[in-house]
Amino acid sequence: MHPAYTASKGGSRLLTKAAASEYAKAKLRVNSIHPGFTRTELTAPFLVSEQGRLAIQEQNPMGGAGEACEIARAVLFLASDDSSFMTGAELVVDGGQTCV
């Protein structure tokens, strides 16, 4: 699963840049959000045990899982006029996980 997941992440990043370039003259913004491990129904089984919570906490410099509302705030920012001159951006919302 890991190689397919990694390839799909890379594909979404390059697709963002290609689409942003294609539609920029039409003033259409294309950006992507790249979340880290986020607490959701899908990830809940990983957080049930103390061992699972500690493993996630150790992997993330900010400690633990992100919350869905934190990802939603990034979406709201990109949808707002505050990001009116952004296109082709990859907004990473992962608590610093990709830094380590």
Side-chain angles (χ1 to χ4, degrees):
M1 244 345 245
H2 190 69
Y5 177 80
T6 302
S8 68
K9 278 282 213 189
S12 69
R13 291 184 131 141
L14 291 176
L15 179 60
T16 297
K17 296 201 179 301
S21 176
E22 182 78 18
Y23 297 111
K25 287 187 181 183
K27 303 292 185 211
L28 294 175
R29 297 176 288 149
V30 180
N31 298 293
S32 58
I33 295 179
H34 300 269
F37 192 92
T38 305
R39 189 183 319 276
T40 65
E41 287 181 27
L42 185 65
T43 62
F46 295 100
L47 300 169
V48 171
S49 72
E50 181 68 19
Q51 181 183 9
R53 284 191 300 276
L54 287 174
I56 297 303
Q57 196 170 6
E58 289 174 9
Q59 293 175 17
N60 192 297
M62 293 186 84
E67 299 294 333
C69 64
E70 294 169 313
I71 308 305
R73 288 185 198 116
V75 173
L76 287 173
F77 167 70
L78 289 177
S80 76
D81 289 338
D82 291 339
S83 67
S84 63
F85 201 59
M86 286 179 69
T87 194
E90 303 167 12
L91 192 54
V92 178
V93 186
D94 70 353
Q97 191 167 355
T98 54
C99 296
V100 293

